[in-house]
Amino acid sequence: MPTEEELFSAVDALLTGEPEMPPPAERARLREAAGVTQARLAQVLQTTTQSVKNWEAGRSEPRPPRRQAYQRLLDGWAAQHPAAPRTPETFTGGPAPTTRAVESAVEPVKAPPPSTAVAETSIRPAPTSRRPAAKKAARPANDPRFPHGPLAVLDGDGSAYGVDGIVLDCPATTIPELVEWTLQESGLGAAALNRHGKDSDPLIVLTAAAAMKLGLPERLEGHEERRALRLAEDHPAVKQIAKAKWQLTQRGFGPWARVYRKAQGRERQCVQLAILSWDALDPRSWPGVADMEPADIARVLGVYAQRVITPRGSTAVSGLELMTALRPPTRAVKNDEGGWESGYNPGSLGREPMDPAPPEAPQEHPVAQGWTGGFLDEEAYQWVRDPQLLSDEECLLPYAIGLDLNTAFLAAAARLVVGLSAPDHFHAPRFNKKIPGSWLVDLSHIDLDPLLPSPFTPSGQRPIGPAWYQTHTLAYAEELGIEVRPIEAFLRRETGAYLDPWHDRLKTAYADTLADLGVTPDLDDRQFLAAMEHHKQADPAMAAVLAAIKATVKGGIGKLRERPQGRHYRDGERWPALERPTWRPDIRAAVISKARVNMHRKMANVAKATGQYPLGVLSDCVVYPSPGPSPLDFLPYSSSGKPLPGSFRLGTTPGLAKLEGVQEMAWAVDLMEKGLNPARHIKGGDAVMDEGE
């Protein structure tokens, strides 16, 4: 048991400042306001994350000496982050708005009384789906402003299917009428994910029949509309919106359209629309959802909204928006006159965009024009072992087995310290693994095991001369006993674990959705493999949610370095993504670097313990030769039957492994001799015919 003095010393590392224990909800608010995760708080107080969750949920209370230390910390945070109403904001156009209502600086928005239109909206039970019955999604936390949940799916007969099986009657026959009904009568929307953040706009998903009833084409027609993915400005529906004094964002009326008016008083008026027949739900991210019945679509999107965020576009867009929703750029602060104004929210990326260092930027970026010093190449693995290095023993094994790491990028984002300020340029600095940034280092002279990919390049090949590396790559080099001597570096002085809340929310969403599919953490390895073999058939709706969560992780990280689009772009010009504070290629590089290093560390540990080497690696998938058709036939276990520490382990947690596919070893060898990667095609099918390495 730690002493009180030890705990106070640890608390003082988080708190600079300094009297009864606040209620559970206030404890959570204070911790979030300070930008500290439950895991970090548990570490400081030398307890478990579950204990912190129990304290914040009111299920238990801390005991001395932790109680005194915890109270001291909360009192300090209360002084730093007083409970204050948000300052009013106005939306004046430009980037897409992200809130439906903003609380007044004087009083919060009150729930509509029973006599208002929201209470009078016709509600009826959802009719029996023509598909097999599925369990209902849990209703999001009740918010009196949004009694009917975050979204609804509108069918052609005026039925708006919401979460938890409700159906609303929507009489709208035009887009302006639909927007008015949504804001005034539907009771749709979702509360902010952070006390400094903004409420989610209500989402209305239109089936093909609903789109046509509202005057929209079933499909985008004409070459220009398909190319731009939006309705032409002279389309009758677009004219109706303008005539009713509503506006569209700069993206126009496409598969994901936002219709809004400038703020009036304390409320913003904005509705998000998604048109299913215009491919709003990419089947790669939402498999089978667009073909479901409206009630089932509402269930899928409702669970996603509850566990992740109300969809705001593609899963990649939603992943990026989730970062901002959990780490808002601003918060209410007191000014010198004692009033409230908008100020920087510590731990966030701020409100203004920030240019990267030249080596961190894509070559078409304005800061990279004229730069000749090389570029950062921190990407995921695409490596195949030289078939000449296959042993006879390996070739005689009957099977090749692919292991896939669960949401590898999400695992890499955990407790990842990234830069929050602009990069500063240094010459011949001393390497420090605690400082995020990009370093120019020569690692070309390092000899490593040729049966493993190099940890320093995405291709797995030995580096050629000096190259730019992210901090995590070089920290791993030091871990391998390599002396790191930077030639120059671009480093960031202000740092923070910006992605921690994003990681925590998506990790919980992933685990909860797997559990809905019967894959729970208490399963042993054999039970886990059996459950994963059939989990998608257990509940197709929840399987679609799981796919969307995984796509949100990868897409969100990818969006941090969104490239320019359109055939008219010319190198050196700025493109719209650069105006986002979340356009941060250095953060993307940090995540991918850590993920690649994690993969190499596991492969090296397996090789050291068992002498087994991979055949190929593609991002988060690795293929090994095996004497049997199950991962249990080659994964290393201790004499007690436990997985070898530091190696590949099966399980549900991000970063643990699952079975990707099984093929004959002769098949894998044949691919390798053709220069193809067995990790790309281990699932089988005709993927091998589609593309090579």
Side-chain angles (χ1 to χ4, degrees):
M1 175 70 69
T3 66
E4 187 171 306
E5 290 74 16
E6 289 174 339
L7 291 170
F8 280 4
S9 176
V11 164
D12 286 339
L14 286 179
L15 177 63
T16 57
E18 196 84 273
E20 193 84 14
M21 188 75 68
E26 179 67 0
R27 301 171 197 175
R29 182 194 73 78
L30 291 171
R31 176 183 55 75
E32 292 172 356
V36 177
T37 65
Q38 291 175 328
R40 173 64 176 141
L41 179 57
Q43 181 183 29
V44 169
L45 295 180
Q46 298 184 33
T47 186
T48 65
T49 304
Q50 186 60 51
S51 293
V52 174
K53 291 181 178 179
N54 291 341
W55 299 342
E56 293 184 354
R59 291 190 290 267
S60 65
E61 292 292 330
R63 297 180 179 180
R66 289 189 178 89
R67 181 179 179 87
Q68 291 87 342
Y70 187 34
Q71 182 166 341
R72 184 183 185 195
L73 179 60
L74 292 173
D75 291 344
W77 279 342
Q80 295 174 354
H81 310 288
R86 304 175 192 137
T87 54
E89 296 184 18
T90 58
F91 183 69
T92 58
T98 56
T99 69
R100 175 174 182 246
V102 177
E103 292 185 11
S104 166
V106 179
E107 61 180 352
V109 176
K110 294 182 174 61
S115 60
T116 64
V118 170
E120 294 174 353
T121 299
S122 177
I123 306 175
R124 48 192 167 86
T128 303
S129 171
R130 280 166 279 180
R131 293 181 177 268
K135 66 178 182 180
K136 292 182 179 178
R139 181 186 287 275
N142 290 330
D143 187 310
R145 296 172 299 158
F146 313 117
H148 298 148
L151 55 87
V153 180
L154 184 62
D155 206 348
D157 63 359
S159 298
Y161 296 81
V163 299
D164 207 29
I166 67 169
V167 183
L168 309 176
D169 286 322
C170 176
T173 58
T174 66
I175 295 297
E177 290 177 359
L178 174 62
V179 172
E180 296 278 1
W181 174 83
T182 303
L183 292 175
Q184 297 178 14
E185 300 183 42
S186 73
L188 297 174
L193 298 180
N194 182 288
R195 63 179 295 262
H196 301 303
K198 302 172 181 179
D199 297 328
S200 289
D201 299 319
L203 168 64
I204 301 294
V205 180
L206 304 180
T207 63
M212 290 187 288
K213 178 182 177 180
L214 295 168
L216 303 175
E218 182 177 2
R219 291 276 178 183
L220 289 177
E221 301 169 350
H223 171 74
E224 186 65 24
E225 288 173 344
R226 268 199 302 271
R227 185 182 64 80
L229 291 178
R230 67 180 70 184
L231 286 179
E233 294 184 3
D234 61 352
H235 190 279
V238 177
K239 290 182 176 181
Q240 285 177 343
I241 293 171
K243 184 176 180 180
K245 302 190 182 305
W246 290 98
Q247 300 181 53
L248 294 166
T249 60
Q250 294 179 356
R251 288 186 174 272
F253 203 117
W256 289 89
R258 298 179 77 83
V259 185
Y260 72 95
R261 279 181 184 154
K262 292 182 179 180
Q264 295 181 355
R266 66 191 184 189
E267 287 198 16
R268 281 191 356 181
Q269 304 177 82
C270 182
V271 174
Q272 175 82 65
L273 302 176
I275 297 89
L276 292 175
S277 58
W278 296 3
D279 301 324
L281 298 181
D282 189 327
R284 294 169 297 181
S285 303
W286 301 95
V289 176
D291 297 324
M292 293 180 179
E293 299 298 329
D296 296 326
I297 297 173
R299 176 179 175 236
V300 170
L301 297 180
V303 171
Y304 180 89
Q306 175 196 2
R307 295 179 179 176
V308 182
I309 193 173
T310 303
R312 302 183 183 184
S314 67
T315 48
V317 169
S318 296
L320 201 66
E321 291 286 346
L322 181 63
M323 296 180 194
T324 302
L326 294 169
R327 292 275 200 191
T330 61
R331 63 177 178 136
V333 297
K334 273 192 174 181
N335 55 30
D336 295 339
E337 289 75 33
W340 294 96
E341 62 184 23
S342 181
Y344 172 69
N345 186 25
S348 75
L349 298 182
R351 183 179 283 175
E352 299 301 322
M354 183 185 302
D355 280 340
E360 297 169 344
Q363 296 186 31
E364 61 267 27
H365 194 286
V367 304
Q369 304 309 299
W371 172 258
T372 58
F375 293 90
L376 194 68
D377 188 23
E378 296 285 13
E379 299 294 341
Y381 267 134
Q382 295 190 52
W383 172 81
V384 184
R385 199 202 312 177
D386 184 346
Q388 300 300 318
L389 298 179
L390 289 170
S391 68
D392 292 342
E393 292 79 4
E394 287 177 315
C395 291
L396 291 174
L397 290 173
Y399 297 102
I401 294 183
L403 293 178
D404 179 76
L405 299 188
N406 301 324
T407 56
F409 288 170
L410 185 61
R415 298 179 297 281
L416 177 69
V417 176
V418 301
L420 301 179
S421 58
D424 292 322
H425 195 189
F426 298 87
H427 291 278
R430 183 176 180 178
F431 177 67
N432 187 332
K433 65 181 182 180
K434 295 183 179 181
I435 301 178
S438 301
W439 314 71
L440 182 63
V441 179
D442 190 353
L443 299 176
S444 60
H445 60 287
I446 306 301
D447 287 321
L448 295 173
D449 192 332
L451 299 180
L452 288 174
S454 167
F456 309 129
T457 63
S459 67
Q461 303 303 311
R462 185 172 179 164
I464 302 175
W468 289 94
Y469 300 98
Q470 203 277 334
T471 298
H472 278 279
T473 302
L474 297 179
Y476 186 57
E478 282 195 334
E479 183 181 321
L480 297 175
I482 300 169
E483 184 180 10
V484 176
R485 292 185 175 183
I487 302 168
E488 60 179 307
F490 288 90
L491 309 177
R492 289 167 170 81
R493 300 177 187 272
E494 296 180 25
T495 65
Y498 171 72
L499 292 174
D500 264 11
W502 187 80
H503 163 270
D504 293 349
R505 185 167 178 85
L506 286 168
K507 177 183 177 181
T508 300
Y510 181 79
D512 289 349
T513 308
L514 266 180
D516 286 342
L517 293 166
V519 187
T520 55
D522 59 337
L523 301 178
D524 63 29
D525 285 358
R526 292 186 184 280
Q527 293 170 330
F528 169 75
L529 290 172
M532 287 297 294
E533 187 175 355
H534 304 291
H535 76 285
K536 293 183 180 179
Q537 290 74 42
D539 186 339
M542 288 300 99
V545 175
L546 186 68
I549 292 170
K550 293 190 287 186
T552 300
V553 173
K554 283 194 174 182
I557 296 300
K559 274 280 186 179
L560 294 169
R561 191 178 182 258
E562 184 178 355
R563 307 292 284 272
Q565 302 174 18
R567 57 190 177 89
H568 298 297
Y569 176 78
R570 297 292 180 268
D571 286 357
E573 297 176 351
R574 295 188 69 83
W575 60 94
L578 302 188
E579 307 313 314
R580 298 192 309 246
T582 48
W583 194 86
R584 291 292 302 272
D586 56 300
I587 296 180
R588 174 185 177 273
V591 172
I592 296 177
S593 166
K594 186 177 175 183
R596 195 181 68 243
V597 162
N598 288 346
M599 175 68 87
H600 189 277
R601 185 184 290 110
K602 294 178 188 296
M603 292 187 293
N605 286 337
V606 169
K608 185 185 302 183
T610 68
Q612 298 177 96
Y613 290 88
L615 304 176
V617 187
L618 182 71
S619 187
D620 49 9
C621 177
V622 57
V623 176
Y624 275 93
S626 172
S630 167
L632 303 178
D633 295 320
F634 78 92
L635 284 177
Y637 288 83
S638 67
S639 57
S640 63
K642 295 184 178 180
L644 188 71
S647 67
F648 295 101
R649 296 175 53 194
L650 300 175
T652 60
T653 303
L656 299 189
K658 60 181 179 292
L659 178 63
E660 179 75 356
V662 181
Q663 299 288 342
E664 293 182 354
M665 182 63 182
W667 167 90
V669 173
D670 183 57
L671 281 183
M672 295 169 68
E673 290 177 342
K674 295 177 180 178
L676 301 175
N677 191 341
R680 183 181 297 276
H681 310 294
I682 193 68
K683 280 188 174 181
D686 59 356
V688 67
M689 304 299 295
D690 295 336
E691 59 176 315
E693 290 295 292

